Amino acid sequence: MKETAIVYCESKFGTMDGKTANGLVRSSRKFEIVGVIDSTKVGMDAGEYLLGEKNGIPVFKSLDHALENLQKVPDQFIYGIAPSEAFLKKDERNLLFKAMEHGMNIVNPLHEFFTDDEEFMKHSKQFGITIHDVRKPAQKKEMHLFSGRILNIETPIVAVLGTDSAIGKRTTSVLLEDALLKKGLNVAFIATGQTGLIQGAKYGVAIDAIPSQFMTGEIENQIMKAYENENPDIIIVEGQGALSHPAYISSGGIIRGSRPGAVIVQHAPKREHLGDFSYMKMPTVQSEIDLIESYSKAKVIAITINHENMSDEELTAAISEYEDELTLPTTDTLKFGCNKLVAAIFEKYPQLKSEQKKVLVN
């Protein structure tokens, strides 16, 4: 049985900074999400607010409000915000202490590691709870340098990259994984950020917490573990940030470490500036494709759209425009599913059609 969890996302649920909470409300293989804390959306159904369809996850005003209304105290308290500053505010710190006092284990996705904090560790011992610092990397002596082992595998590797951070790369990756599984393929998903790991990805590493010297090796190692343990038909790798983004180097490490043979690019047509960098204009899809193909030597095989701030008419027009001008299949996976992506992957890797039949027959 899944452990129960409540997700803290005060004033950020449904926004870019609330991407961890958003992802958990959409999909969680590891935890049963029993509520979201966001006083600005209290009383709403989290699924209806985020997805337009009720999923029975209520939004609470506060931790006290949640505990008053839930049948039992959740097993886990997940900090569901991904702020650009990546550190706790004082009132959030006190809230986490209160959750610990109620016996909830803490799941921390921040760069601030609670297990290095004397006060947090004192509370954990006093109340008998655990703290999981999702982004905390292994000791350097346990990390991996790039070995070149990945050059010897023939399994198709598809990376889902994008033009900005918090633009939907993980969501598309997870939906694509599900779509390929339904086709009867054995799929390995490699998470590269905190949300995918919290959702329950079997393989992955929070790459933005890894020293740059070990980035490629750590990604390669996770792929090789999946390859050796699962014998997958295809490997899907979640992207981070954007290759063109001036503040992040994650995409470079992911491309170098995973050596994808094909890339899907996620873009938000109505986003004018980079998420946390209002002084930087968004790149165009074409410029990002050119950069990715030059840097990775892999071909972009499809485009996926984040429909934020778009009407249905604008979305339909954008899909037609990209397909006409860029001659690439384009879709919005949340609105229309992954059929176009699956078709593009089968066109790139026709051998997967026989693997599909083989699995379905067996």
Side-chain angles (χ1 to χ4, degrees):
M1 289 183 62
K2 293 180 180 178
E3 290 193 320
T4 56
I6 191 160
V7 186
Y8 173 79
C9 197
E10 177 55 36
S11 77
K12 300 296 183 182
F13 183 56
T15 71
M16 282 182 59
D17 284 353
K19 67 178 185 178
T20 298
N22 302 342
L24 289 166
V25 165
R26 285 194 175 100
S27 171
S28 179
R29 296 172 184 175
K30 188 173 184 180
F31 301 115
E32 177 191 349
I33 307 302
V34 296
V36 173
I37 297 173
D38 183 345
S39 65
T40 66
K41 300 168 187 72
V42 62
M44 296 181 178
D45 179 279
E48 186 173 29
Y49 177 79
L50 192 66
L51 308 169
E53 186 175 331
K54 289 186 176 182
N55 62 4
I57 300 175
V59 181
F60 297 109
K61 180 179 180 180
S62 63
L63 178 58
D64 287 338
H65 183 217
L67 295 176
E68 287 168 6
N69 286 274
L70 292 171
Q71 291 185 348
K72 64 174 186 175
V73 175
D75 301 310
Q76 306 281 342
F77 183 98
I78 302 174
Y79 185 89
I81 305 174
S84 57
E85 63 270 18
F87 293 101
L88 284 178
K89 300 179 179 67
K90 185 177 180 181
D91 60 331
E92 293 174 333
R93 186 179 178 89
N94 291 333
L95 177 63
L96 284 159
F97 290 152
K98 179 186 277 191
M100 296 164 80
E101 290 162 11
H102 280 283
M104 283 179 263
N105 301 308
I106 303 299
V107 179
N108 167 36
L110 299 174
H111 283 292
E112 176 183 4
F113 303 138
F114 299 166
T115 52
D116 291 338
D117 186 300
E118 199 173 299
E119 199 171 4
F120 268 100
M121 293 310 295
K122 181 180 176 182
H123 266 71
S124 71
K125 291 175 184 175
Q126 182 179 351
F127 297 101
I129 61 92
T130 62
I131 297 173
H132 180 201
D133 287 325
V134 179
R135 268 186 166 123
K136 192 171 187 178
Q139 296 289 321
K140 287 189 178 69
K141 62 182 179 181
E142 298 172 359
M143 290 185 187
H144 301 81
L145 294 170
F146 186 76
S147 70
R149 291 180 297 157
I150 198 168
L151 303 176
N152 299 318
I153 71 173
E154 296 181 357
T155 304
I157 298 173
V158 178
V160 181
L161 306 180
T163 53
D164 193 9
S165 59
I167 206 165
K169 298 179 290 291
R170 175 189 38 76
T171 297
T172 290
S173 299
V174 172
L175 291 172
L176 179 57
E177 178 194 13
D178 288 342
L180 291 167
L181 287 169
K182 287 176 182 174
K183 290 290 184 182
L185 295 176
N186 182 14
V187 187
F189 169 59
I190 312 298
T192 57
Q194 72 278 9
T195 304
L197 295 171
I198 297 172
Q199 284 178 308
K202 191 173 180 181
Y203 300 97
V205 61
I207 191 172
D208 64 359
I210 303 295
S212 59
Q213 184 178 4
F214 296 97
M215 276 186 174
T216 56
E218 284 294 289
I219 292 293
E220 178 195 43
N221 182 60
Q222 290 299 319
I223 291 175
M224 293 308 300
K225 281 170 63 177
Y227 173 75
E228 291 162 1
N229 294 343
E230 312 296 337
N231 189 27
D233 297 313
I234 186 170
I235 298 170
I236 304 298
V237 182
E238 172 197 12
Q240 294 294 322
L243 189 58
S244 64
H245 203 297
Y248 307 130
I249 61 171
S250 304
S251 286
I254 290 168
I255 290 170
R256 289 295 194 226
S258 67
R259 312 291 294 191
V263 174
I264 293 166
V265 174
Q266 179 101 4
H267 181 62
K270 293 296 286 289
R271 192 181 291 188
E272 296 181 1
H273 300 91
L274 296 175
D276 291 318
F277 303 86
S278 59
Y279 49 86
M280 295 292 299
K281 282 189 175 182
M282 282 282 290
T284 64
V285 179
Q286 183 66 69
S287 69
E288 197 71 27
I289 289 172
D290 291 344
L291 183 60
I292 289 168
E293 291 186 341
S294 174
Y295 185 84
S296 68
K297 308 304 180 188
K299 279 290 180 183
V300 172
I301 61 170
I303 299 167
T304 47
I305 288 180
N306 177 327
H307 60 252
E308 64 184 27
N309 301 319
M310 298 182 78
S311 66
D312 288 345
E313 292 76 14
E314 288 173 325
L315 176 59
T316 301
I319 289 173
S320 296
E321 177 187 335
Y322 291 159
E323 291 191 329
D324 290 344
E325 294 184 3
L326 303 175
T327 62
L328 287 169
T330 303
T331 192
D332 178 331
T333 56
L334 282 173
K335 292 264 190 178
F336 307 120
C338 293
N339 288 344
K340 287 184 180 180
L341 304 187
V342 172
I345 288 171
F346 281 178
E347 183 176 345
K348 172 69 176 177
Y349 301 107
Q351 70 270 27
L352 289 176
K353 292 181 181 178
S354 59
E355 292 299 329
Q356 174 193 211
K357 292 174 185 173
K358 189 188 305 179
V359 175
L360 288 173
V361 169
N362 292 339

